[in-house]
Amino acid sequence: MTTPLILHPDRLFPSDPGQRDIARRLYGAVADLPIISPHGHTDPAWFADNAPFGNAAELLLHPDHYIFRMLYSQGVPLKALGIGNPSANPRESWRLFAQHYHLFRGTPTRMWMDWVFAEVFGFDEQFDAATSDHYYDRITDALGADAFRPRALFDRFGIEVIATTESPLDTLNHHAAIRTANQSGEWSGRVITAYRPDPVVDPEFEGFGDNLRRFSELSGEDAFSYPGYLAAHRNRRAFFAEMGATSTDHGHPTAATADLSDAEAEALFARVTGDHVSAADAELFRAHMLTVMAGMSLDDGLVMQIHPGSFRNHNPGLFVRHGRDKGADIPMRTDYVHALRPLLARYGNEAGLTIILFTLDETSYARELAPLAGHYPALRLGPAWWFHDSPEGMRRFRAQVTETAGFYNTVGFNDDTRAFLSIPARHDVARRIDCGFLAGLVAEHRMEEWEAAELAADLACNLARKAYRL
Amino acid sequence: MTTPLILHPDRLFPSDPGQRDIARRLYGAVADLPIISPHGHTDPAWFADNAPFGNAAELLLHPDHYIFRMLYSQGVPLKALGIGNPSANPRESWRLFAQHYHLFRGTPTRMWMDWVFAEVFGFDEQFDAATSDHYYDRITDALGADAFRPRALFDRFGIEVIATTESPLDTLNHHAAIRTANQSGEWSGRVITAYRPDPVVDPEFEGFGDNLRRFSELSGEDAFSYPGYLAAHRNRRAFFAEMGATSTDHGHPTAATADLSDAEAEALFARVTGDHVSAADAELFRAHMLTVMAGMSLDDGLVMQIHPGSFRNHNPGLFVRHGRDKGADIPMRTDYVHALRPLLARYGNEAGLTIILFTLDETSYARELAPLAGHYPALRLGPAWWFHDSPEGMRRFRAQVTETAGFYNTVGFNDDTRAFLSIPARHDVARRIDCGFLAGLVAEHRMEEWEAAELAADLACNLARKAYRL
Amino acid sequence: MTTPLILHPDRLFPSDPGQRDIARRLYGAVADLPIISPHGHTDPAWFADNAPFGNAAELLLHPDHYIFRMLYSQGVPLKALGIGNPSANPRESWRLFAQHYHLFRGTPTRMWMDWVFAEVFGFDEQFDAATSDHYYDRITDALGADAFRPRALFDRFGIEVIATTESPLDTLNHHAAIRTANQSGEWSGRVITAYRPDPVVDPEFEGFGDNLRRFSELSGEDAFSYPGYLAAHRNRRAFFAEMGATSTDHGHPTAATADLSDAEAEALFARVTGDHVSAADAELFRAHMLTVMAGMSLDDGLVMQIHPGSFRNHNPGLFVRHGRDKGADIPMRTDYVHALRPLLARYGNEAGLTIILFTLDETSYARELAPLAGHYPALRLGPAWWFHDSPEGMRRFRAQVTETAGFYNTVGFNDDTRAFLSIPARHDVARRIDCGFLAGLVAEHRMEEWEAAELAADLACNLARKAYRL
């Protein structure tokens, strides 16, 4: 016996009838606004090549660490799921997902996947062990059709613009191909890149030395001298901007910043490009480079994003067997108030600069981030991130940030995902939660409804357009 | 004039009518399920000897640090309450409690005690100065009756199994007596022990050297050599398991773990069993032993519980006058992400091992514990603990944990108490709050009601049975 | 077109109809109780001289760092607002405020200002660019009238007592003038001082040496010898108490306390009054002095307030241009459990002493502050402070503190403001939020309504009167 799959029109709205009515009205006016996706990890090759996606497991299970980390936590081996194991039978892997789908009750993954199942593929019965094969076949079949190719889905999803994230070592040839398609009139989808220099900024990044060699080649600068290294950044940033980038992104372990003199920086650069790099030097170099990058952003107008606080690859055994990004990154306590001070002392008062801060440590919302963003002209707060990109996570973000930083020091929603099919679901969750939060303020007579309506549209689209200069 | 004492049938349910209706239905189906109490501090002598409890003050006031810490905080001397003062008049101590009962408004103690007063003793007017003597007499009288002896209450409360907590130095003779009573058919109550080795694992524990001597005697091993010390643990663990234990419990100041080589461990053991133990060595030994204990758990199947983060005996003057466990333990900020890594690197991927983590630092719920438990197969999260074993504490736990770890990486409720009469009240609060939380998810259309009903039963009983292997 | 300005009678009450009805009843009984303002920063000169306030910008914009920090965060230059710029046109500055008033949506400033506009000045259309000049003129005109002079507003606001905050270096001549007016029957308003010794306790305070010189003069003691320094404190505390003070206030960077021997303290005093003061010595001296001050409080009965955890003057460029208190103080993570132990070990068990703790780090509410205040007789918890003096901030405070510390270890509300006109609005927000919180407990049957009614009055007035000995 199967159970019906229903996406209730009032889902995620407050259940208090007064609040719900307001939320419905607010949401009704923003539900169909275009999707602005200024930060994410979709693969530009999809939109460049427009090749069909593969089977259900390949598209929906293998790349989604939210899914397989939960299955793994309950004893399902990654190999059986086909992670790092091309010989696994995808239909069998999919069955394991189906058998354990109840694990996702109460998680955002459940809401995102149900949306994908119902809205993208038209299922009307719940995903479980009994329906697993039916799901597998119907999804895999659908993916062969033109309507399910990347560009068709992009158009169907109402995406106005999407940003991908590339390293300075990327040639951006996929983005070039997309621009050619744009210019020829073949496809009008706007796909831009973002400059993520961690591989050439973090001396502890795998292959840092090789990365600098490649950085030199691509930029035509000598990235092994400090002036050449800075010039290489300027060169690649300009190329990224030419290819549509409006932002940079920095994924450091901490939010530490430093502002070294040229002589100090040059000496440090010599040490971190030498044979033995100490952890302290690596941290100091990353810290200094955040300030340098802020200075370049002031010059070239790229918006700067800082995403700190993840302990990467916490599980060493898993890392050896499966590598990066396998659900084993764990948030850490993160200080901002001391860490950001060198950068802010130098550039924080620049109204022409935009730095967007993210956190995995919710304790910093009310204590540090909202007070900082409610003061420094250069700062804005990114949305609830990663583990906190969830209904309760978003509510905590708004409840803890708004009273000190207001709404206008935030930047709307980021989907931050490589799970392309879930992007509309993620934006929809954010819009529903924001409308519910605003409805609460209206129902408690803390704001007029016309103000909430204005804010609902700002949070859905306008703030992202403005903050990311889109 | 007295005021009526009413336990409202809807207490603790969300007041939103839609949510309340769902909560009522969910709760109705789990209210009378048996009590599984896998972690607590009742005295096994009660169930072995089945002697009557004493007077009202002795049973309900003297052992309950939740109660006397609040009275003390408002200037009531502990001696006047009969704490460490056998010459205090228990009726007078009870009157002090009654006069200050308003202090507990808004606290879980108020809800637990009102339940005990109404349900166990049948009172229908509130406890206060005017009713103090009436309460004292009626409770004290009742305790003389057979129906109020420990085994009768155990049966009346619907307890399926209760775990007590003993040190490896305990002979478990009370548990042996209970098993004899079980086998003879005299009483069928299931009372098991849990292995809490802090007195022989923590070099800073009072009498550590004497404890090791006793540990040697009981185990027949030389606990002053490192191999003998490990063998003594294995020996006592096996004995505890024979006496019903399914778990161990570790109450360390921090969550630090270490994974030393045998040579390092042996050298460290020599230092901590020597004359002068440094704080760093004591911490490192506790840390190392957590990893050793995890390894033994993998071998013998005992579930491992880690309860870190309490600054014990914060009030030195009180400690000198009254000793341990007098309400002066204060939670500390606690790191898990770095602290647990050595243990997890060694054993975290073992699906056959279960480690249950507790915290007194709620900031770790969403930031560290849920991401860890949502990844490592060996990890589960214990319920909201101690100061957080309360309606709002439980709501924060579910709201902050569920979206990343789901429900199935949690283990149901622990009452964790020596206040025997309040055990059903504590489980009832947990069931009401969990049903209310689930009702909120259903009312916001984030889950179907049939799923919530399944979860309500899992949270009430099934998860505890499974996680604790009961 | 203008939009109406409406202060809804149900504002800030829970929107659930059951809870709202209870909240209305609770609030109805406390709405008009007198204002007890035991901690704040109004200027005693206002009440001594009773001179008319200036124009709208001067009264409402220039002194309110909540307002101008938000405007500054969105790129409005402080100079254009007239901050540190007497030549700015106040009407133009006011227009900038009006044009950006939407930034305050969802913030407490919006609620406070709307109350001031509607209740103090009688506006019935919203403040925005279109109404800016109308607002400016009408407010500025009104301020010239006798009914808007400080004493008339004080009486109109129903203030029973207000405390200002002065340094030991203040001669308290304004307070003396007010007492003369009280004694002559000219005015009956009760304005008291509070002893804030940071300028002579913090060796890093600007002009510490000069401050000690002045301290010596005013006290007639040699404040450059340690015994004379202590005597000077006793002398000035006695003088402050004579002028009505019932409390002291200590605004340290951290909550560190120390309890040095006399010899250690004397040696440390010599170092911090010497030429080069190390940061560690400065911190240790502040820490030691908190314990000394607690001892003096035990002697002279002044209630002690500790306000730690602000990183003062985070923005160095702004500090150079504009000085202190310009919205650039940022909260820091703050430890209490270790930091307060030396002081508590010495004086924590004194029921005759009252120490009121505040925090900017909400993570300490449930983890540290409520457990500490729920145990030590000397401790009480101050209300949600500064950035957390807001509807959501107050709700988090009650939700996280009450279950462990109850209501009676808290002290009612502090407005803590120099924005005189907003004081009634701030107390009104606190009363509404507290009544809403209590209504939630009643609606969930966790408390009877008559108990909530008693508590509502306690939270509005009685606890503040009692804790501050007013």
Side-chain angles (χ1 to χ4, degrees):
Chain A
M1 210 197 83
T2 62
T3 49
L5 171 60
I6 299 160
L7 300 185
H8 197 283
D10 287 336
R11 65 191 184 278
L12 293 172
F13 295 158
S15 64
D16 171 73
Q19 291 192 29
R20 196 181 49 205
D21 285 351
I22 301 165
R24 274 182 193 147
R25 288 193 294 271
L26 296 175
Y27 173 74
V30 303
D32 296 327
L33 291 181
I35 288 175
I36 316 292
S37 175
H39 178 98
H41 302 283
T42 52
D43 186 341
W46 296 337
F47 310 112
D49 302 342
N50 202 32
F53 290 114
N55 60 53
E58 209 180 300
L59 176 62
L60 299 176
L61 171 56
H62 295 170
D64 193 333
H65 54 68
Y66 287 83
I67 295 177
F68 61 71
R69 78 190 307 277
M70 176 69 92
L71 301 177
Y72 184 68
S73 79
Q74 289 275 318
V76 180
L78 292 185
K79 290 203 173 226
L81 293 170
I83 311 296
N85 180 22
S87 68
N89 178 329
R91 178 183 298 274
E92 293 295 335
S93 298
W94 186 254
R95 282 181 186 157
L96 282 170
F97 178 27
Q99 285 157 20
H100 291 86
Y101 195 54
H102 64 282
L103 298 178
F104 297 94
R105 288 173 181 163
T107 72
T109 291
R110 163 69 181 274
M111 303 212 71
W112 299 330
M113 294 311 296
D114 275 0
W115 186 93
V116 169
F117 294 151
E119 292 291 319
V120 179
F121 295 105
F123 289 101
D124 57 10
E125 32 186 35
Q126 276 206 13
F127 179 51
D128 58 23
T131 58
S132 176
D133 282 6
H134 172 55
Y135 263 72
Y136 185 83
D137 291 331
R138 184 154 155 188
I139 292 171
T140 304
D141 281 1
L143 295 180
D146 283 352
F148 288 83
R149 291 195 183 222
R151 291 181 182 176
L153 289 172
F154 184 105
D155 294 341
R156 175 179 164 192
F157 289 167
I159 297 173
E160 182 176 299
V161 56
I162 200 168
T164 66
T165 313
E166 274 76 38
S167 132
L169 309 181
D170 194 296
T171 57
L172 303 185
N173 58 319
H174 298 305
H175 288 83
I178 296 165
R179 292 171 79 82
T180 303
N182 288 164
Q183 282 150 7
S184 73
E186 181 188 323
W187 185 53
S188 64
R190 184 177 174 202
V191 179
I192 62 178
T193 184
Y195 186 75
R196 176 137 181 180
D198 303 359
V200 294
V201 158
D202 180 359
E204 296 177 323
F205 207 95
E206 295 97 297
F208 180 64
D210 291 343
N211 295 345
L212 290 188
R213 244 180 302 285
R214 179 80 181 129
F215 198 36
S216 301
E217 284 165 30
L218 285 168
S219 64
E221 303 283 349
D222 172 13
F224 288 92
S225 83
Y226 185 60
Y229 173 76
L230 297 182
H233 274 294
R234 279 191 213 97
N235 174 297
R236 295 303 287 167
R237 291 172 65 108
F239 174 62
F240 272 59
E242 224 180 285
M243 299 303 284
T246 69
S247 67
T248 71
D249 185 31
H250 307 271
H252 291 197
T254 73
T257 65
D259 187 11
L260 304 180
S261 70
D262 285 350
E264 289 168 326
E266 202 147 354
L268 175 62
F269 182 78
R271 294 200 302 277
V272 299
T273 51
D275 283 347
H276 300 289
V277 183
S278 72
D281 273 352
E283 176 74 353
L284 183 60
F285 187 69
R286 290 188 297 258
H288 174 67
M289 283 306 296
L290 282 184
T291 307
V292 168
M293 288 282 127
M296 290 188 188
S297 277
L298 192 60
D299 291 342
D300 64 18
L302 293 181
V303 170
M304 183 177 192
Q305 300 173 90
I306 305 179
H307 282 90
S310 179
F311 188 126
R312 301 279 170 180
N313 311 312
H314 191 269
N315 187 333
L318 192 95
F319 181 65
V320 166
R321 290 191 304 278
H322 292 285
R324 288 184 154 249
D325 297 328
K326 289 299 173 290
D329 298 340
I330 309 290
M332 294 181 288
R333 197 187 297 145
T334 303
D335 160 71
Y336 292 86
V337 67
H338 300 95
L340 291 177
R341 199 172 185 239
L343 188 159
L344 292 173
R346 180 81 177 263
Y347 295 120
N349 294 299
E350 298 287 350
L353 173 67
T354 300
I355 301 171
I356 301 175
L357 299 174
F358 294 80
T359 196
L360 291 170
D361 181 354
E362 294 178 317
T363 68
S364 66
Y365 284 158
R367 186 182 59 216
E368 303 178 28
L369 293 181
L372 287 166
H375 167 67
Y376 283 103
L379 290 186
R380 295 290 181 273
L381 301 186
W385 176 40
W386 196 340
F387 294 105
H388 310 309
D389 176 9
S390 62
E392 299 302 328
M394 291 174 188
R395 285 174 177 165
R396 288 195 291 271
F397 175 77
R398 289 284 172 219
Q400 292 175 30
V401 157
T402 307
E403 294 183 317
T404 291
F407 290 99
Y408 295 96
N409 283 309
T410 67
V411 303
F413 181 65
N414 285 184
D415 56 70
D416 191 28
T417 192
R418 64 201 78 216
F420 179 47
L421 269 63
S422 73
I423 287 178
R426 290 167 186 254
H427 286 261
D428 189 58
V429 169
R431 289 175 190 189
R432 287 174 179 275
I433 292 294
D434 279 337
C435 288
F437 180 77
L438 291 165
L441 296 179
V442 174
E444 292 188 357
H445 306 289
R446 296 156 74 175
M447 182 183 287
E448 302 295 327
E449 189 167 332
W450 67 267
E451 297 178 288
E454 220 175 273
L455 278 163
D458 288 341
L459 299 179
C461 296
N462 301 329
L463 286 172
R465 282 195 195 107
K466 191 178 167 202
Y468 283 90
R469 306 182 181 182
L470 294 166
Chain B
M1 211 196 83
T2 62
T3 50
L5 171 60
I6 300 160
L7 300 185
H8 196 285
D10 287 337
R11 64 192 185 278
L12 292 172
F13 295 158
S15 63
D16 172 72
Q19 293 192 28
R20 197 182 47 205
D21 285 351
I22 302 164
R24 274 182 193 148
R25 288 194 295 269
L26 296 174
Y27 173 75
V30 301
D32 296 327
L33 290 180
I35 286 175
I36 316 290
S37 176
H39 178 97
H41 302 283
T42 53
D43 186 342
W46 297 336
F47 310 112
D49 303 341
N50 201 30
F53 290 113
N55 60 53
E58 209 179 302
L59 176 62
L60 300 176
L61 171 57
H62 295 170
D64 193 333
H65 54 68
Y66 287 84
I67 295 177
F68 61 71
R69 76 191 310 278
M70 176 67 93
L71 300 177
Y72 184 69
S73 80
Q74 289 276 318
V76 180
L78 291 184
K79 293 206 170 224
L81 293 169
I83 311 296
N85 180 22
S87 68
N89 179 330
R91 179 184 298 273
E92 292 296 335
S93 298
W94 186 255
R95 282 181 188 157
L96 282 171
F97 178 27
Q99 285 157 20
H100 291 86
Y101 196 54
H102 64 283
L103 298 178
F104 297 93
R105 287 172 181 166
T107 73
T109 291
R110 162 69 181 273
M111 302 212 73
W112 299 330
M113 294 311 296
D114 276 0
W115 185 93
V116 169
F117 294 150
E119 292 290 318
V120 180
F121 295 104
F123 289 102
D124 58 8
E125 31 185 36
Q126 277 206 13
F127 180 51
D128 58 23
T131 59
S132 174
D133 283 4
H134 172 55
Y135 263 72
Y136 184 84
D137 292 330
R138 184 155 158 188
I139 292 171
T140 304
D141 282 359
L143 295 180
D146 282 352
F148 288 85
R149 289 194 186 223
R151 291 181 183 176
L153 289 173
F154 185 105
D155 295 341
R156 173 178 165 194
F157 290 166
I159 297 174
E160 182 176 300
V161 56
I162 200 167
T164 65
T165 313
E166 274 77 36
S167 133
L169 307 182
D170 193 294
T171 56
L172 303 185
N173 58 319
H174 298 304
H175 289 83
I178 296 166
R179 292 169 80 81
T180 302
N182 289 163
Q183 282 151 7
S184 72
E186 181 189 322
W187 185 53
S188 65
R190 184 174 175 204
V191 179
I192 63 179
T193 183
Y195 186 74
R196 176 138 180 177
D198 303 0
V200 293
V201 159
D202 180 358
E204 296 176 324
F205 207 94
E206 295 97 298
F208 181 63
D210 290 343
N211 296 345
L212 290 189
R213 245 180 300 285
R214 180 82 181 129
F215 198 35
S216 301
E217 285 166 29
L218 286 168
S219 64
E221 302 283 350
D222 172 13
F224 288 91
S225 83
Y226 185 61
Y229 173 77
L230 297 182
H233 274 293
R234 279 192 212 96
N235 175 294
R236 295 303 285 166
R237 291 172 64 107
F239 175 62
F240 272 59
E242 225 181 283
M243 299 304 283
T246 69
S247 66
T248 70
D249 186 32
H250 307 272
H252 291 198
T254 73
T257 66
D259 187 10
L260 304 180
S261 70
D262 286 348
E264 289 167 328
E266 203 149 351
L268 175 62
F269 183 77
R271 293 201 301 277
V272 299
T273 52
D275 283 347
H276 300 290
V277 183
S278 72
D281 273 351
E283 174 74 354
L284 183 60
F285 187 69
R286 290 187 298 257
H288 174 67
M289 282 307 296
L290 281 185
T291 307
V292 168
M293 289 281 126
M296 291 190 187
S297 278
L298 192 58
D299 290 342
D300 65 17
L302 293 180
V303 169
M304 182 177 193
Q305 301 174 91
I306 305 179
H307 282 91
S310 179
F311 188 126
R312 302 276 170 182
N313 311 312
H314 191 270
N315 187 334
L318 192 94
F319 182 66
V320 166
R321 289 192 303 278
H322 292 284
R324 288 184 154 249
D325 297 326
K326 291 297 173 291
D329 298 339
I330 308 291
M332 294 181 288
R333 197 187 295 146
T334 303
D335 161 69
Y336 292 86
V337 68
H338 300 93
L340 292 176
R341 201 174 183 238
L343 188 160
L344 293 173
R346 181 81 176 265
Y347 295 119
N349 294 298
E350 299 287 350
L353 173 68
T354 301
I355 301 171
I356 301 175
L357 298 175
F358 294 80
T359 197
L360 292 170
D361 180 354
E362 293 179 317
T363 67
S364 66
Y365 285 158
R367 186 183 59 216
E368 302 179 29
L369 293 181
L372 286 167
H375 167 67
Y376 282 102
L379 290 186
R380 295 291 181 274
L381 300 186
W385 176 41
W386 197 339
F387 294 105
H388 310 309
D389 175 10
S390 63
E392 299 302 327
M394 291 174 187
R395 285 174 178 166
R396 288 194 292 270
F397 175 76
R398 289 283 172 220
Q400 292 174 30
V401 158
T402 307
E403 295 184 316
T404 292
F407 290 99
Y408 294 97
N409 283 308
T410 67
V411 303
F413 181 65
N414 285 184
D415 56 69
D416 190 28
T417 190
R418 65 200 77 217
F420 179 47
L421 270 64
S422 73
I423 287 178
R426 290 168 187 254
H427 285 260
D428 189 59
V429 169
R431 289 173 190 191
R432 287 173 180 273
I433 292 294
D434 279 337
C435 288
F437 181 76
L438 291 165
L441 295 180
V442 174
E444 292 188 358
H445 305 289
R446 295 155 73 174
M447 182 183 287
E448 301 295 326
E449 188 167 333
W450 68 267
E451 298 178 288
E454 223 174 88
L455 278 163
D458 289 340
L459 299 180
C461 296
N462 301 328
L463 287 172
R465 283 197 195 104
K466 191 177 167 201
Y468 283 91
R469 306 181 181 185
L470 293 167
Chain C
M1 210 197 83
T2 63
T3 50
L5 171 60
I6 299 161
L7 300 185
H8 196 283
D10 287 336
R11 65 190 185 278
L12 292 171
F13 295 158
S15 64
D16 171 72
Q19 292 193 27
R20 197 182 49 205
D21 284 350
I22 301 165
R24 274 182 194 147
R25 287 194 295 270
L26 296 174
Y27 173 74
V30 302
D32 296 326
L33 290 180
I35 287 175
I36 316 292
S37 176
H39 178 97
H41 302 284
T42 52
D43 186 342
W46 296 336
F47 309 112
D49 302 343
N50 201 30
F53 291 113
N55 60 54
E58 210 179 300
L59 176 62
L60 299 176
L61 171 56
H62 295 170
D64 193 333
H65 53 68
Y66 287 82
I67 295 177
F68 60 71
R69 78 190 309 276
M70 176 68 93
L71 301 177
Y72 184 67
S73 80
Q74 289 275 319
V76 180
L78 292 184
K79 291 204 172 230
L81 293 170
I83 311 297
N85 180 22
S87 68
N89 178 329
R91 179 183 298 274
E92 292 295 335
S93 299
W94 187 254
R95 282 180 187 159
L96 282 171
F97 178 26
Q99 285 157 21
H100 291 86
Y101 195 55
H102 64 283
L103 298 178
F104 297 94
R105 287 172 180 165
T107 73
T109 291
R110 162 68 181 275
M111 302 212 72
W112 299 330
M113 293 311 295
D114 276 1
W115 185 92
V116 169
F117 295 152
E119 291 292 318
V120 180
F121 296 105
F123 288 102
D124 58 8
E125 35 186 33
Q126 275 205 12
F127 180 51
D128 59 22
T131 59
S132 175
D133 283 5
H134 171 55
Y135 263 73
Y136 184 84
D137 292 330
R138 185 156 155 186
I139 292 170
T140 304
D141 281 359
L143 294 180
D146 282 351
F148 288 84
R149 290 194 185 221
R151 291 180 182 177
L153 289 173
F154 184 106
D155 294 341
R156 174 177 164 193
F157 289 166
I159 297 173
E160 182 176 300
V161 55
I162 200 167
T164 64
T165 313
E166 275 75 38
S167 132
L169 309 181
D170 193 296
T171 56
L172 304 185
N173 58 318
H174 298 305
H175 288 82
I178 296 166
R179 292 170 80 81
T180 302
N182 288 164
Q183 283 150 5
S184 73
E186 180 188 323
W187 185 54
S188 64
R190 185 174 174 204
V191 179
I192 62 179
T193 183
Y195 186 74
R196 174 136 182 180
D198 302 359
V200 294
V201 159
D202 180 359
E204 296 177 321
F205 207 95
E206 296 97 298
F208 180 62
D210 291 342
N211 295 346
L212 290 189
R213 244 180 302 284
R214 179 79 181 132
F215 198 34
S216 301
E217 284 166 28
L218 285 168
S219 64
E221 304 284 348
D222 173 13
F224 288 91
S225 83
Y226 185 60
Y229 173 76
L230 297 181
H233 274 294
R234 281 191 211 97
N235 174 295
R236 295 305 284 166
R237 289 172 65 107
F239 175 62
F240 272 59
E242 224 181 284
M243 299 304 283
T246 69
S247 68
T248 70
D249 185 33
H250 306 271
H252 290 197
T254 74
T257 64
D259 187 12
L260 304 180
S261 69
D262 286 349
E264 289 168 327
E266 201 149 355
L268 175 62
F269 183 78
R271 293 200 301 278
V272 299
T273 52
D275 282 347
H276 300 290
V277 184
S278 73
D281 273 350
E283 176 73 354
L284 183 60
F285 187 69
R286 289 187 299 256
H288 174 67
M289 283 306 296
L290 281 184
T291 306
V292 168
M293 289 281 127
M296 290 189 189
S297 278
L298 192 59
D299 291 341
D300 64 18
L302 294 180
V303 169
M304 184 176 191
Q305 300 173 90
I306 306 180
H307 282 91
S310 179
F311 188 126
R312 302 277 170 181
N313 312 312
H314 191 270
N315 187 333
L318 193 93
F319 181 66
V320 166
R321 289 191 305 278
H322 291 285
R324 288 185 153 249
D325 297 328
K326 290 299 174 291
D329 298 340
I330 308 290
M332 294 181 288
R333 197 187 296 146
T334 303
D335 160 69
Y336 292 86
V337 67
H338 300 94
L340 291 176
R341 201 174 183 239
L343 188 159
L344 292 173
R346 180 83 177 262
Y347 295 118
N349 294 299
E350 299 287 351
L353 173 67
T354 300
I355 301 171
I356 301 174
L357 298 176
F358 294 80
T359 196
L360 292 170
D361 181 353
E362 294 178 317
T363 68
S364 66
Y365 284 158
R367 187 182 58 218
E368 303 179 27
L369 293 181
L372 286 167
H375 167 67
Y376 282 103
L379 290 187
R380 296 290 181 274
L381 300 186
W385 175 41
W386 196 340
F387 294 105
H388 310 310
D389 175 10
S390 63
E392 299 301 328
M394 291 175 188
R395 285 174 177 166
R396 286 194 293 271
F397 174 78
R398 290 282 172 219
Q400 292 175 30
V401 158
T402 306
E403 294 184 316
T404 291
F407 291 99
Y408 294 97
N409 282 309
T410 67
V411 302
F413 181 64
N414 285 183
D415 56 70
D416 190 30
T417 191
R418 66 200 77 217
F420 180 47
L421 270 64
S422 74
I423 286 178
R426 290 168 186 253
H427 285 260
D428 189 60
V429 169
R431 290 174 189 190
R432 288 173 178 274
I433 292 295
D434 279 337
C435 289
F437 181 77
L438 291 165
L441 296 179
V442 174
E444 292 188 358
H445 305 290
R446 296 156 73 175
M447 181 182 288
E448 302 294 329
E449 188 166 333
W450 68 266
E451 297 178 288
E454 221 174 271
L455 277 163
D458 288 342
L459 299 179
C461 296
N462 301 329
L463 286 172
R465 281 196 196 106
K466 190 178 168 201
Y468 283 91
R469 308 182 180 183
L470 292 167

